[in-house]
Amino acid sequence: MNKGIDVWDVVVVGGGPAALTAAIYAARYNLKVLVLAGVFGGLMAEAHKICNFPSEKSILGSELMTRMKEHAEESGASLRLAMVNRVIKEKGSFRVVTNSEEVLGKTVILALGTSHRKLSLPSEKKYLGKGVSYCFTCDGRFYKGKRVGIIGGSDAAITAAIYFSDICPKVYLIYRGDKLRAEHAWLENLAKKSNVEVLYQTNVVDLLGEKKLEAVMIDKPHQESNKILLDGLFVQIGEVPDRAITEKLGLSLTKEGFVKIDISGRTNIEGVWAAGDITTGSSGFRQVITACAEGAIASQDIFKYLKEKK
Amino acid sequence: MSVVDFNDSNFKNEVLDFNGVALVDFWAPWCGPCQIMGPIIDEIAANYGEKIKVGKVNVDENKELAGKYEIMSIPSLIIFNYGQIAEKIVGVQPKEILKEKIDGCLIKK
């Protein structure tokens, strides 16, 4: 193994559609491009079905991920499984530090994506895999015939409620607001489900159960009790960007932690681009196709930038 | 060593009676995040070679094992050390995190 530090034209940090598309474009511009990802696929891979990616009428998220990954590799990009801990600005380049190596990039694209927002309850971690889940497409089948609650009021929460209404006798949809925010088609579908009960303006404040989840405590009485007996609780309350790398690097972020970018994907630090769900781009419309577009735009702008610098 | 298919009938012999460290990935073909784990599990198997045993349990086909190990979320990863559960981890894990836990078991022996 070569212990010297590799120098790349572009180091892409992340493994979702923005990162992989950036890699395809950078490779086609003949840039030396490395993609570093703790895991490949991003949130896209969790999607049960993606039905709005042009030319794919219905495709598993994981299948689309595999195809994008293969495409990036065949285009000439290098892909490595590695967890990036830090990106450090140096003179004229960036040092990208992973658990096992360090590489240098003339430029960097941060396509770190987002992760599921947690409830932030002290007992939440204890029940992970024991009743609490953030992915109903992964774990829903284990709760067939059981008592299930879903927290949230947007598309993800409503689609989860509809899914469980077909396999469970009783489903609670627990929402802090007073009006659900999902697409009209989903709401219409939900209204037909007689076994789904929506608890409005209600928050889950504690999780109970000896070895696994048995009940949740809510902050508003339901049938004269603040306790609801549940076997499964699916938390569908949106996504949050991870700040660990972006904050230390000194990037300009919104108060929620999204990276501020201009129309070319440039951040406030010269040489650093950002793309995909982690950015303020695409009007905040976080989709596979917008992530891909942002990745492509960033790589094209880097190509111009490096050419001008020569 | 290549990735082994564990099932209800070979699990005792392959994992519980194995004198060493075994990494078991509980998965299903329809689960997206399990597909993300696939290449990571393959790399772990390739990196450790003969030092550990690596395999997968399809929870749809092996309900007995899924029930016994109370799998309610996939992917779930269990590291066995001389047949005893050393670690149970839920959700997609980067390679480094798994390596840390495996190395911890290899040192303890």
Side-chain angles (χ1 to χ4, degrees):
Chain A
M1 279 282 279
N2 178 14
K3 288 280 171 196
I5 289 189
D6 289 340
V7 184
W8 301 81
D9 292 323
V10 195
V11 176
V12 183
V13 186
L20 295 170
T21 312
I24 294 167
Y25 275 76
R28 288 180 63 85
Y29 283 118
N30 215 15
L31 299 175
K32 199 179 161 209
V33 54
L34 172 68
V35 184
L36 297 171
V39 291
F40 281 98
L43 280 186
M44 165 176 68
E46 271 186 24
H48 178 49
K49 264 182 198 166
I50 292 171
C51 306
N52 49 10
F53 195 77
S55 86
E56 296 295 346
K57 286 174 212 151
S58 176
I59 185 168
L60 283 174
S62 53
E63 170 67 20
L64 192 54
M65 179 269 290
T66 306
R67 286 204 215 159
M68 283 189 194
K69 202 173 151 223
E70 279 170 8
H71 192 165
E73 274 170 332
E74 279 167 25
S75 302
S78 295
L79 273 57
R80 286 184 202 158
L81 276 174
M83 235 164 80
V84 172
N85 298 319
R86 275 199 85 163
V87 177
I88 302 159
K89 187 175 163 59
E90 297 195 335
K91 249 193 195 154
S93 68
F94 295 87
R95 185 180 293 267
V96 182
V97 184
T98 77
N99 279 11
S100 51
E101 63 175 341
E102 292 189 7
V103 297
L104 283 179
K106 292 178 195 165
T107 64
V108 173
I109 300 176
L110 297 177
L112 299 158
T114 55
S115 51
H116 299 297
R117 187 191 297 275
K118 311 273 194 297
L119 287 173
S120 304
L121 293 176
S123 53
E124 193 169 356
K125 218 174 164 188
K126 178 181 161 188
Y127 297 106
L128 182 64
K130 293 171 184 161
V132 172
S133 172
Y134 306 91
C135 176
F136 77 91
T137 56
C138 321
D139 304 336
R141 291 188 191 199
F142 298 109
Y143 293 88
K144 193 175 174 185
K146 300 204 170 160
R147 297 165 300 189
V148 166
I150 297 133
I151 305 186
S154 61
D155 286 340
I158 310 304
T159 48
I162 293 167
Y163 170 84
F164 285 112
S165 72
D166 292 334
I167 60 167
C168 300
K170 176 80 185 179
V171 179
Y172 293 98
L173 181 62
I174 306 165
Y175 181 45
R176 64 178 178 173
D178 57 3
K179 199 167 184 283
L180 299 174
R181 292 176 294 125
E183 279 177 17
H184 184 68
W186 292 127
L187 292 175
E188 265 190 351
N189 198 331
L190 183 74
K192 291 181 202 144
K193 306 288 183 185
S194 56
N195 59 342
V196 178
E197 186 175 351
V198 187
L199 309 182
Y200 290 101
Q201 293 176 303
T202 304
N203 294 288
V204 169
V205 291
D206 202 6
L207 310 173
L208 308 171
E210 202 156 317
K211 279 190 177 163
K212 47 189 176 185
L213 185 75
E214 292 165 14
V216 300
M217 295 301 290
I218 49 175
D219 61 356
K220 193 173 153 187
H222 170 257
Q223 292 174 353
E224 292 171 8
S225 170
N226 284 59
K227 194 174 177 181
I228 302 180
L229 299 178
L230 289 180
D231 302 300
L233 181 68
F234 287 78
V235 182
Q236 308 284 331
I237 52 174
E239 314 302 326
V240 282
D242 184 2
R243 298 162 176 258
I245 292 170
T246 54
E247 230 165 37
K248 272 191 216 142
L249 181 59
L251 288 180
S252 177
L253 307 176
T254 66
K255 67 177 193 306
E256 297 86 12
F258 293 102
V259 180
K260 293 182 184 170
I261 58 167
D262 70 7
I263 50 165
S264 305
R266 294 187 187 206
T267 67
N268 60 312
I269 296 178
E270 187 182 336
V272 180
W273 279 252
D277 284 1
I278 198 170
T279 76
T280 54
S282 304
S283 298
F285 190 45
R286 298 187 171 87
Q287 298 284 303
V288 174
I289 193 158
T290 55
C292 291
E294 287 185 26
I297 292 165
S299 282
Q300 194 260 357
D301 197 46
I302 286 173
F303 172 68
K304 284 195 290 189
Y305 171 84
L306 289 175
K307 213 166 143 193
E308 278 163 21
K309 277 198 94 178
K310 265 183 191 166
Chain B
M1 205 189 265
S2 57
V3 178
V4 188
D5 268 326
F6 299 137
N7 54 49
D8 286 341
S9 47
N10 73 2
F11 199 77
K12 183 176 182 300
N13 186 29
E14 289 276 3
V15 178
L16 300 181
D17 296 341
F18 178 63
N19 290 325
V21 176
L23 171 68
V24 184
D25 173 20
F26 290 83
W27 75 295
W30 42 261
C31 150
C34 299
Q35 313 299 328
I36 305 183
M37 267 327 287
I40 298 173
I41 297 291
D42 291 345
E43 272 199 23
I44 296 242
N47 290 355
Y48 282 89
E50 300 294 318
K51 279 190 220 153
I52 65 166
K53 193 180 269 193
V54 180
K56 300 169 94 166
V57 172
N58 180 326
V59 295
D60 278 350
E61 292 167 4
N62 301 284
K63 297 219 159 60
E64 209 176 288
L65 283 171
K68 182 177 175 193
Y69 294 102
E70 297 181 322
I71 305 300
M72 293 164 81
S73 188
I74 51 173
S76 274
L77 299 139
I78 303 184
I79 302 172
F80 289 85
N81 199 1
Y82 285 80
Q84 301 291 315
I85 295 179
E87 294 272 355
K88 184 174 175 185
I89 320 156
V90 173
V92 170
Q93 303 294 323
K95 195 172 80 179
E96 276 96 345
I97 303 266
L98 283 178
K99 280 178 86 171
E100 248 171 52
K101 310 239 184 216
I102 293 166
D103 291 344
C105 290
L106 287 173
I107 291 163
K108 267 189 244 158
K109 277 255 157 106

